[in-house]
Amino acid sequence: MIPIIGEPHDRVDGRQKVTGEARYAAENNLPNLAYAVLVTSTIPAGSIAAIDAAAAKSAPGVISVISHLNAPKLPDTGGQQQESNAAEHHHMPFSDDSVHYVGQAVAAVVADTFEHATHAAGLVRVNYRPTPARIVMEEHRSDAKERQGNAPATFSKGDAEGALASAPVKVDQVYRIPYEHHNQMEPHALVAAWDGDRLTVHDSAQNIFTTRQTLAKAFGVPTESVRVMSPFVGGAFGSKGSAWPHVFIAVMAARMVRRPVKIALTRRQAYFSNGHRPLTEQRVALGATADGKLVAMIHEGIGQTNTVCDYVEGFTSPTRSMYATPNVRVAHRVVELDLPSPTYMRAPGENPGMYALESAMDEMAYALKIDPIQLRVLNHADDDPANGKPWSSKSIKECYAQGAERFGWPRRTSEPRSMRDGRQLIGLGMASATYPSHRAPASARAVMHRDGNVDVSSGTHEMGMGTATVMAQLAAETLGVPFERVTFRYGDTTLPRAPISAGSLTVASVGSAVFAASSQLKRKVIDLATADASSPLNGTDPNDIDAADGKLTLKSDPSRGEAYAAILRRHYLDTMDAAADEKPEPNDPYSARAFGAVFAEVGVDPDLGIVRVRRIVAAFAGGRILNAKTARSQYHGGIIQGIGMALLEQTHLDRNLGAFTNVNLAENLVPVNADVRSIDVILVPEDDPHVNPIGAKGIGEIGIVGVAPAIANAVYHATGKRVRDLPITIEKLL
Amino acid sequence: MHAFDYVRAKDLSGAITSGSRPAAKFVAGGTNLIDLMKSEVERPAHLVDINGLGLAAVERVPGGIRIGALARMNDVALHPLVQQGFPAISQALLASASPQLRNMASIGGNLMQRTRCTYFRELTFAPCNKRDPGSGCAAMEGENRTHAVLGTSSSCIATHPSDLAVVLAALDAVITLHGRDGERKVMATDFHLLPGSTPHVEHALRHGEVITAVFVPDAAHASHSSYLKVRDRSEFEFALASAAVGLELSGGTIRSARVALGGVGTKPWRSREAERALIGKSPATATFRDAAEAALTGAIPHEQNRFKIELAKRTLVRSLTDLAGGAA
Ligand SMILES: Cc1cc2nc3c(=O)[nH]c(=O)nc-3n(C[C@H](O)[C@H](O)[C@H](O)COP(=O)(O)OP(=O)(O)OC[C@H]3O[C@@H](n4cnc5c(N)ncnc54)[C@H](O)[C@@H]3O)c2cc1C
Ligand code: SF4
């Protein structure tokens, strides 16, 4: 059998993307299209006193100016926690005169061209009644509250405080991560068109089915009358998982002006109204015995949120599961500020949380004077400390070992400032990585055509992860047809339902459905052949039949067999199909997480404080890898984002204006090629019979986890300076 | 974006005539101006395209080189006359922006580019004396990590962002301008102005005047010069601190020295104090440190940019050390 799974196939959509043939949301220039441009608030809190739209209305090309003064009031559609994905469901756009943050849409100008709309938007005068605003999180610590988020806000076992107090060796520190933005390549955009009560939306989204449902509720039409399409997404990283205000505004505007309406946000707008990773301040306290056994772990702290969204950064999530300790207490709280809504950003919870925990583990290794890897192995959790369940599989020790070997960890001398290369101080650091393996219900359909070609479909998303490619591979291998013969269709709510593409669950969820639909289709054709007197397979045992290269063959007698296409032709069938609805098992007896180990080498200029990452070696075990090439590409992307998080990324907040200030790609720094020198990813083989039918754990997010602490730990090793607030910029090392 | 009309000037006098109309602006590579027009910071009524004027040559002239104002940054950086006689110019240009931008952006436009202070550029509702005279300065009590410590005033603390301009200030370059009254020449050090109480007035160019060329005189300290730029990101970022230095060394003594700093001044910061501290001395760390202390005397920090004072000193010491051949 030709191995298809695991093969490093090129992306099926690669050519379309590099030639410009791929059509992104904003490129759907429907006939009679109108353009909406947002007018956004300039105060963080208060209300709109007056809107003077006279000049805008009489500007060339303007069709309408929409605001709370004339907009239909949309009903509350429920929040992120319910079956809706309105990011700011406590405040639907234009529902009243209230202002909750700088950058909130307070009006939209609809015109015949983008330029006319942009020009007129600049003519709208808005007067505000400001009220005192809550901007600086540190000033409102005492108002921190518990909110139900993705992970429960608190967890405890044993007596963490008592054990910490009596522990012979302690680390107790506070770590801080600033506001950060997704900075995905394609800013948010959509085109909405009504035809009577039928709505079609071309969106750039990672959650089209929930968007469909949310829009149906908001605009009072049946779910079936709404179609959302999002075949190409130019990056999202979590920022496109929710229906942000502009989505409702475009749909509302299209209904009001009776024309299709496009909204394409500017880069600047995308910094204010589409989520960010919130500022967090995390205390980690560890207590250990002198020989390195952890006896207490405390992880607690606060993260920014606001009053119009439900988001909670669940940064204590990994601490519940990472190390074996009898006494644990974790608690994450939120502080509601008059700032834009935060949201998921690559590896929400785990990524910020592991920065704090893995930095503290490094501090503990120094306090104990033992090797950082050894400390982690000593405290390895053989089953999940969060719930006592066995792991579906766990290969973190292999990750430590293989990563350490490839990286050359044994050459490291543990003393800070002990390694040099010319003028540069060299530092080697490491950290663990983890991300839970989620799975959600998903459906798929597989259709075999008479010519032997196969169409597989599921309304999932392709945001650059390689979903379209690996799903085609999965179907090809399951059915035993050549990869080139399979087409995978996605990104459309007329296709079988798929979940949000987030939480690294796409391969596990959609893959399981594609696997099931393909298996069922294969079985259908086999059943047809074995019952068919003219088939060479007539009367044989279906379980004795193998499929490869478009052909069914008897395993016990490979001379007997025939092609799929021949069977369909003989039966005058144009197509045969199968559909599957797959769900995770309720009450799974296993806990499932992907694990990894990240190793970083930095060079620090001791006089100028410049840190450059010289190399990263990372070993990940994520169950079965469907495509080594797209998998590596996911890991690389995560690692590069992690380099950015460690050294560059921060969105500055002006405390007087309540506004983010570096809101363009020149000043909001992300890594450029020159910041990314050598990345070496080891795919640690892992066979997981329990996690899901295809054995794949999901790898989209774990790649970023552990990178920032590995780099921060390397900087400490190089310089002897422990920087506990990211990013590690020059002034912190001078 | 505001409505504007567009003309492509055929010759210099046509450009000057069109460019002298009220609210007219020249456009060369457009990499700075168009950006600012999109964010409505610049609102010209007439855009006068000067790319048809030629003015792109780099040539040897008596006593130095002449760089046409419309020469592209990359072409100048890679020009043999520049690389041989004025390595700091080449280094500064190659450390600027990105290859794509350098292929579009002109030398004249580079000198005229406006500050990267985010309040000036992006937050049209933030007070900014440079954008909206008299409105105040949001950076003073706001986000000022990247702002200036030298040449500041109570009106404005924005840095001048150009790398090239720092080298031109160091190497005694002369800028040639053409206007309705003909040609005039301005020393690079006099071209950019301190903010004082009028931060919106940034340079000596009069309305309607075209920068036509930059002359850089030959000198031993020019052919032995370098540019060091310190920033968070490896590439594609403006300087937190930079130093343009030129040294003429003989017999273990510094015969002549040129020093200018970038990223820390409200204008490209020529430091004659630092030069005086170097000339006649032997190249040694202590000498370089003295020069650095002299260069930063009188620096005024704000909340987030205090580190720039020490960073600028170390940047200068490092670049002098390296240029002097690691003598220190
Ligand atoms: C993302 C980004 C990063 C950058 N990084 C750097 C950097 O690291 N270092 C650096 O030095 N620069 C940097 N730049 C700035 C870049 O170098 C300037 O934008 C460029 O040099 C401007 O040249 P231009 O020809 O495009 O000017 P334009 O945008 O065409 O014009 C800019 C201004 O100059 C005026 N002007 C242009 N030519 C003339 C002339 N001949 N006579 C009179 N007036 C004239 C115009 O009227 C306008 O006001 C960066 C720019 C960007 C966008
Ligand atoms: S520093 Fe200058 S440019 Fe920046 S806000 Fe203040 S006045 Fe404006």
Side-chain angles (χ1 to χ4, degrees):
Chain A
M1 188 153 102
I2 309 154
I4 302 174
I5 298 220
E7 282 289 284
H9 275 290
D10 288 344
R11 291 166 185 276
V12 293
D13 53 352
R15 197 184 173 81
Q16 283 169 292
K17 284 180 174 169
V18 297
T19 56
E21 193 191 312
R23 194 193 284 181
Y24 288 83
E27 295 174 308
N28 288 284
N29 290 318
L30 305 183
N32 201 29
L33 184 64
Y35 300 77
V37 167
L38 304 181
V39 178
T40 57
S41 64
T42 57
I43 60 158
S47 59
I48 302 166
I51 296 184
D52 177 1
K57 278 185 190 150
S58 57
V62 172
I63 303 164
S64 177
V65 178
I66 304 172
S67 69
H68 72 286
L69 298 173
N70 59 352
K73 302 288 168 265
L74 303 181
D76 182 338
T77 56
Q80 290 179 352
Q81 313 306 332
Q82 288 123 57
E83 276 271 74
S84 159
N85 67 337
E88 297 177 357
H89 82 287
H90 301 302
H91 187 255
M92 293 299 267
F94 305 156
S95 54
D96 56 30
D97 63 0
S98 64
V99 176
H100 302 277
Y101 55 88
V102 168
Q104 176 187 320
V106 291
V109 176
V110 190
D112 58 349
T113 65
F114 173 71
E115 289 74 15
H116 280 149
T118 302
H119 176 67
L123 301 176
V124 176
R125 292 283 156 264
V126 184
N127 288 323
Y128 299 95
R129 276 186 229 100
T131 53
R134 299 155 54 93
I135 302 301
V136 179
M137 188 169 79
E138 293 78 351
E139 292 170 6
H140 299 280
R141 272 196 198 99
S142 55
D143 297 338
K145 52 171 100 160
E146 273 175 25
R147 252 202 211 173
Q148 191 62 31
N150 272 4
T154 57
F155 170 82
S156 78
K157 75 178 176 193
D159 171 17
E161 310 293 340
L164 180 69
S166 59
V169 186
K170 289 185 242 266
V171 165
D172 191 346
Q173 295 292 350
V174 174
Y175 304 87
R176 204 179 125 98
I177 302 173
Y179 295 101
E180 294 167 352
H181 279 78
H182 307 78
N183 282 322
Q184 78 286 351
M185 218 187 300
E186 180 204 21
H188 298 70
L190 84 160
V191 173
W194 287 95
D195 176 6
D197 263 353
R198 301 192 71 80
L199 170 66
T200 305
V201 173
H202 300 272
D203 197 2
S204 179
Q206 52 191 116
N207 198 1
I208 56 175
F209 282 91
T210 322
T211 298
R212 175 177 73 160
Q213 196 165 314
T214 307
L215 288 175
K217 265 197 217 169
F219 290 91
V221 296
T223 307
E224 308 74 60
S225 350
V226 181
R227 179 178 183 189
V228 180
M229 283 175 275
S230 183
F232 294 101
V233 180
F237 308 123
S239 74
K240 294 173 180 172
S242 313
W244 294 101
H246 72 279
V247 174
F248 299 95
I249 295 171
V251 173
M252 173 194 291
R255 197 179 237 185
M256 288 173 78
V257 305
R258 298 170 188 281
R259 285 167 72 160
V261 167
K262 180 197 291 190
I263 290 188
L265 296 188
T266 62
R267 180 63 66 182
R268 176 178 186 272
Q269 287 169 341
Y271 283 101
F272 292 96
S273 54
N274 303 280
H276 55 263
R277 181 185 286 147
L279 172 68
T280 54
E281 195 185 76
Q282 309 175 39
R283 171 187 176 223
V284 178
L286 303 176
T289 61
D291 55 2
K293 268 282 181 198
L294 289 175
V295 292
M297 284 206 289
I298 296 172
H299 191 173
E300 61 183 352
I302 51 175
Q304 175 260 340
T305 193
N306 65 17
T307 55
V308 296
C309 79
D310 285 334
Y311 189 72
V312 176
E313 187 69 44
F315 53 79
T316 63
S317 155
T319 308
R320 299 155 208 242
S321 296
M322 207 47 219
Y323 298 109
T325 326
N327 306 295
V328 184
R329 185 174 68 75
V330 309
H332 53 250
R333 298 189 173 76
V334 290
V335 179
E336 292 172 349
L337 301 173
D338 297 308
L339 294 177
S341 303
T343 196
Y344 317 97
M345 183 162 146
R346 205 170 194 164
E350 299 339 84
N351 178 31
M354 286 293 273
Y355 160 64
L357 178 61
E358 291 297 292
S359 296
M361 286 294 279
D362 200 63
E363 302 206 41
M364 180 55 94
Y366 275 98
L368 290 162
K369 295 194 168 30
I370 70 173
D371 182 86
I373 299 179
Q374 199 195 334
L375 175 65
R376 286 164 173 88
V377 172
L378 255 174
N379 294 286
H380 181 268
D382 297 334
D383 42 35
D384 188 346
N387 51 27
K389 289 183 186 179
W391 296 110
S392 65
S393 64
K394 180 175 181 181
S395 315
I396 196 168
K397 288 182 184 164
E398 289 75 7
C399 294
Y400 292 141
Q402 294 187 26
E405 200 206 324
R406 180 82 60 88
F407 185 69
W409 183 257
R411 286 198 300 277
R412 173 181 185 264
T413 50
S414 64
E415 210 40 45
R417 297 181 81 92
S418 61
M419 297 178 76
R420 275 186 177 264
D421 178 5
R423 207 177 242 162
Q424 299 250 305
L425 293 170
I426 301 300
L428 309 185
M430 63 82 57
S432 310
T434 183
Y435 196 78
S437 308
H438 298 298
R439 194 181 153 200
S443 306
R445 196 174 124 129
V447 182
M448 180 165 292
H449 295 270
R450 195 179 202 167
D451 58 7
N453 287 339
V454 178
D455 271 330
V456 184
S457 57
S458 178
T460 184
H461 319 82
E462 170 61 274
M463 313 181 292
M465 314 93 86
T467 309
T469 311
V470 300
M471 291 305 147
Q473 281 179 270
L474 190 56
E477 172 147 312
T478 311
L479 278 159
V481 300
F483 174 66
E484 301 71 32
R485 293 238 158 199
V486 180
T487 307
F488 181 67
R489 291 189 299 130
Y490 54 94
D492 187 336
T493 53
T494 59
L495 300 175
R497 187 178 175 110
I500 183 173
S501 289
S504 300
L505 55 63
T506 301
V507 163
S509 313
V510 179
S512 294
V514 165
F515 175 71
S518 305
S519 309
Q520 284 167 30
L521 176 58
K522 175 171 141 191
R523 182 63 194 238
K524 264 184 156 176
V525 186
I526 290 175
D527 287 347
L528 190 64
T530 52
D532 174 3
S534 350
S535 170
L537 295 169
N538 183 32
T540 59
D541 174 5
N543 295 321
D544 189 25
I545 295 175
D546 223 359
D549 216 10
K551 206 175 159 208
L552 299 176
T553 317
L554 203 60
K555 287 187 225 167
S556 53
D557 177 5
S559 70
R560 288 174 72 180
E562 66 175 331
Y564 279 115
I567 302 169
L568 268 70
R569 266 203 304 277
R570 198 166 55 247
H571 290 265
Y572 302 104
L573 290 171
D574 285 336
T575 59
M576 281 185 79
D577 61 27
D581 301 310
E582 290 294 295
K583 279 193 199 56
E585 298 286 323
N587 309 322
D588 195 332
Y590 296 98
S591 254
R593 275 179 174 268
F595 289 95
V598 185
F599 296 81
E601 176 180 322
V602 300
V604 182
D605 185 314
D607 303 323
L608 302 178
I610 301 170
V611 183
R612 299 289 180 245
V613 176
R614 294 155 59 111
R615 41 192 197 105
I616 298 271
V617 171
F620 297 105
R624 186 155 69 142
I625 295 304
L626 300 191
N627 179 326
K629 191 170 187 171
T630 53
R632 272 180 201 287
S633 154
Q634 281 291 291
Y635 287 135
H636 278 232
I639 289 167
I640 292 167
Q641 242 169 350
I643 294 174
M645 176 183 176
L647 301 180
L648 298 169
E649 292 178 37
Q650 54 181 329
T651 304
H652 299 287
L653 173 70
D654 182 291
R655 63 185 166 214
N656 303 310
L657 299 164
F660 294 130
T661 58
N662 51 337
V663 290
N664 63 61
L665 286 176
E667 266 87 20
N668 203 290
L669 304 183
V670 297
V672 294
N673 283 325
D675 294 303
V676 183
R677 313 259 162 117
S678 157
I679 295 179
D680 189 354
V681 170
I682 303 168
L683 306 177
V684 173
E686 184 175 65
D687 182 21
D688 190 329
H690 306 299
V691 63
N692 55 47
I694 58 172
K697 282 183 173 174
I699 57 165
E701 290 166 274
I702 189 173
I704 192 174
V705 182
V707 179
I711 293 171
N713 296 343
V715 168
Y716 175 75
H717 180 233
T719 64
K721 279 189 192 150
R722 180 69 67 178
V723 178
R724 300 188 183 90
D725 56 327
L726 295 181
I728 304 171
T729 45
I730 285 169
E731 62 268 44
K732 297 174 188 170
L733 294 176
L734 279 185
Chain B
M1 197 151 184
H2 282 250
F4 59 90
D5 62 37
Y6 169 88
V7 287
R8 196 173 162 88
K10 291 189 194 62
D11 53 31
L12 189 55
S13 69
I16 293 167
T17 309
S18 307
S20 297
R21 286 176 294 168
K25 275 260 172 201
F26 298 119
V27 62
T31 61
N32 189 237
L33 182 61
I34 305 300
D35 222 14
L36 291 171
M37 285 168 67
K38 285 187 187 169
S39 49
E40 307 206 342
V41 172
E42 298 271 18
R43 304 172 174 211
H46 315 286
L47 213 51
V48 182
D49 184 339
I50 55 174
N51 288 297
L53 301 186
L55 302 179
V58 177
E59 55 204 344
R60 174 143 286 291
V61 291
I65 58 163
R66 188 176 182 280
I67 303 171
L70 285 162
R72 304 295 142 166
M73 288 167 74
N74 254 351
D75 295 338
V76 177
L78 302 177
H79 200 285
L81 283 177
V82 175
Q83 289 182 325
Q84 283 149 27
F86 310 87
I89 294 182
S90 181
Q91 290 164 17
L93 287 169
L94 291 176
S96 301
S98 67
Q100 294 90 332
L101 283 160
R102 294 197 296 268
N103 284 334
M104 281 300 286
S106 69
I107 297 300
N110 186 281
L111 300 181
M112 292 290 290
Q113 66 175 298
R114 308 204 65 187
T115 185
R116 299 300 303 191
C117 171
T118 50
Y119 299 104
F120 170 74
R121 295 178 51 82
E122 289 287 351
L123 298 177
T124 43
F125 56 83
C128 171
N129 289 323
K130 195 186 267 302
R131 172 169 33 76
D132 189 5
S135 62
C137 170
M140 215 67 81
E141 302 288 323
E143 291 299 305
N144 50 34
R145 173 176 187 259
T146 58
H147 285 66
V149 292
L150 290 166
T152 57
S153 73
S154 58
S155 301
C156 180
I157 57 172
T159 53
H160 192 276
S162 167
D163 292 298
L164 172 68
V166 179
V167 185
L168 297 184
L171 299 183
D172 307 303
V174 181
I175 298 170
T176 307
L177 311 173
H178 275 86
R180 273 177 296 187
D181 306 329
E183 182 190 291
R184 61 187 186 107
K185 294 188 189 303
V186 179
M187 291 295 294
T189 43
D190 298 330
F191 184 75
H192 295 103
L193 308 176
L194 289 172
S197 57
T198 54
H200 58 290
V201 184
E202 295 174 344
H203 46 72
L205 196 78
R206 296 178 192 135
H207 187 66
E209 266 183 334
V210 179
I211 304 172
T212 50
V214 175
F215 168 79
V216 198
D218 291 326
H221 56 243
S223 57
H224 189 233
S225 63
S226 73
Y227 187 72
L228 176 64
K229 180 173 179 181
V230 177
R231 45 185 162 175
D232 299 305
R233 183 153 77 178
S234 302
E235 287 285 336
F236 202 18
E237 192 193 353
F238 293 88
L240 282 173
S242 70
V245 294
L247 291 177
E248 183 190 354
L249 295 162
S250 78
T253 305
I254 300 169
R255 301 284 164 198
S256 74
R258 291 292 180 276
V259 173
L261 299 174
V264 287
T266 52
K267 60 178 270 185
W269 200 259
R270 171 80 176 260
S271 177
R272 295 182 206 273
E273 299 79 0
E275 292 166 9
R276 275 195 294 273
L278 293 166
I279 293 167
K281 307 274 170 51
S282 62
T285 304
T287 309
F288 299 155
R289 189 70 203 182
D290 286 347
E293 295 296 339
L296 273 294
T297 303
I300 299 173
H302 283 76
E303 187 183 339
Q304 299 172 341
N305 69 357
R306 183 171 299 273
F307 74 100
K308 278 192 169 189
I309 298 176
E310 180 59 23
L311 182 64
K313 289 178 190 171
R314 294 189 188 185
T315 304
L316 183 53
V317 171
R318 170 67 61 82
S319 58
L320 288 167
T321 306
D322 285 352
L323 188 67

